[in-house]
Each structure stands twice: as structure tokens, then as C-alpha cells.
Amino acid sequence: ITAVGLTITGLTGANKTYDRTTSASATGTAALSGVLTADNGNVTLTGSGTFSFATATIGNAKTISCTGYSLSGTASGNYSLTQPSLSGNITTAALTVSGISGSNKTYDGTTTASVSGTAALSGVLSGDAVSLSGTPAFSFASASVGTAKPITASGYTLSGADNGNYSLTQPAGLTANITAASLTITGLTAADKYYDGNTSVSVSGTPAYSGLVNSESYSVTGTVSWAFADANAGSNKTLTRTGTY
């Protein structure tokens, strides 16, 4: 007369995030399956289950082995117990990039952004070979002037023997200011004159902006009049302006 085989039901393997160990766990309540009616109450499940994955690396539906459960009761000798076989996922551990800050810039008509500092990985488990690589790129959502404008980062990647067990989140929360570009007005020339007792002056030329970027082009508008500060004779006399371009 051979022992009747019993199995354990009621357990489900639990998923976990990669932690460099093979430790596993299960949810639910373990129960015996297969005990003959006549032996109800005379065979019980005892012990405490210990669960483990075969390897620590990421994967879906990875087999979870179990040890530690046993039988007790007056009829337990008539039965054999098969430890439960479960499965679960090991998902990638999330890494972030630290050590960088958005850099302010002067308006240049583009959304290009830059950062300062040294990028470093945050979250790598001790003993794993994972490094930060790739060619990062940074950009503002728009080219216009503004303060604390969000900067989007892309292009960072992972390398190293253990990088497959990790996922990388591109840097978030970077901000910087775009300040107004300075323009000057060129193209005007003041004419010399003989002393005539008044401050009038003749200005010739067409005013134009100097300092425009990204092939931008704007006409100078506004009504401006010019005069000498005083009517006295002199060299390189400063003109005063009334009105604004």
C-alpha cells in the first residue's frame, strides 16, 4: 500500500521588483488537497513555506520553488506531500539620474537647453555593474522668454553587465530661465552743423535692429526726434532722444 499524494492549494506566487536576490513570496492561505474523507482531521498541513526563484534576474512567469511544508496528524504516515510549484514576475528596478541642474540662457530663438553638473545614476544595487551612457539632449517646450521653464531630457541609456535588470527614467523636474536678448538700433547718422543758436539736428539713415537671432527680422517702429543737449559749439556732442523706437 503506497502513500497517497497530497498537494497544496490556495497559494499564488507574488511578483517583485529586482533586488539582486532569489527570495520570493506567495499570497493566499495554504491548504491540503487530496486527503481522504475518512482521514479528515487526522492529516494537517504544518511547517512554514520558504519560496525562491531559480535566478535573481528579471523575467515573466519565473518558476518559484517551495520548501518547508510538512504533514502532521495520526494518519499523516499514509500520505506524501508535494511542495507547491508557483510562478511570478521579477520586474526591472527603476533608476533615476541625479546631479544635474537646468542652465539659464538668453533668448536665441531655439528650444535648445543645457544643464550643469555631473549626471549620476541613483538606485543601482551594490555589486551590480551598471553605468550611465548615451548622448543626452535637453530642450525647452518653447523658445519664448520665461522663468522656471521645464526642460525635457532624452538620450540617457544604461550599459554594463547587469543593465538588463534595470529601467531608466530620464531626468525630470529640470527648469531654467530664458531671458530677453538685448537689441541695439543701428543705421542712423547725425549730421554736423554750424552754430545757429538752437539745438536742432539732422539725422539720416534707416533704423535697424542689431542682435536679432535665428534669422528673425523685424522693422523698427516708433516716432523719435533728436536734438543736441545744448546749442553751444562742440565736438562729438551727445544727442538727446524724444520718443521710443
Side-chain angles (χ1 to χ4, degrees):
I1 301 177
T2 56
V4 173
L6 300 182
T7 57
I8 297 174
T9 61
L11 296 176
T12 303
N15 300 331
K16 76 167 189 175
T17 300
Y18 171 77
D19 62 3
R20 210 169 179 266
T21 74
T22 58
S23 64
S25 61
T27 59
T29 303
L32 279 175
S33 177
V35 177
L36 299 177
T37 302
D39 286 333
N40 282 342
N42 296 318
V43 182
T44 55
L45 183 65
T46 59
S48 179
T50 300
F51 305 93
S52 62
F53 290 101
T55 64
T57 54
I58 67 164
N60 293 325
K62 290 173 66 84
T63 299
I64 297 175
S65 60
C66 175
T67 59
Y69 286 112
S70 58
L71 299 175
S72 63
T74 57
S76 64
N78 295 315
Y79 295 89
S80 61
L81 179 65
T82 300
Q83 299 292 321
S85 181
L86 308 172
S87 65
N89 304 334
I90 300 180
T91 56
T92 55
L95 300 182
T96 56
V97 178
S98 60
I100 56 175
S101 306
S103 297
N104 299 332
K105 76 168 187 175
T106 300
Y107 173 77
D108 62 4
T110 74
T111 58
T112 302
S114 62
V115 298
S116 59
T118 302
L121 277 176
S122 179
V124 177
L125 297 173
S126 178
D128 275 351
V130 183
S131 349
L132 187 63
S133 55
T135 304
F138 306 93
S139 63
F140 291 101
S142 67
S144 58
V145 167
T147 58
K149 292 172 66 81
I151 294 175
T152 301
S154 62
Y156 282 113
T157 58
L158 298 175
S159 60
D162 300 304
N163 80 85
N165 295 310
Y166 294 89
S167 57
L168 179 64
T169 299
Q170 299 294 319
L174 299 172
T175 62
N177 304 334
I178 300 179
T179 55
S182 296
L183 299 181
T184 56
I185 294 177
T186 61
L188 298 175
T189 304
D192 297 337
K193 74 169 188 175
Y194 289 103
Y195 172 76
D196 59 5
N198 63 60
T199 60
S200 63
V201 63
S202 175
V203 175
S204 61
T206 301
Y209 288 120
S210 176
L212 291 171
V213 297
N214 203 34
S215 301
E216 293 176 347
S217 176
Y218 300 100
S219 300
V220 179
T221 59
T223 302
V224 173
S225 58
W226 300 90
F228 287 108
D230 59 65
N232 300 322
S235 299
N236 296 318
K237 291 175 67 72
T238 300
L239 304 184
T240 58
R241 186 190 74 247
T242 301
T244 302
Y245 286 114

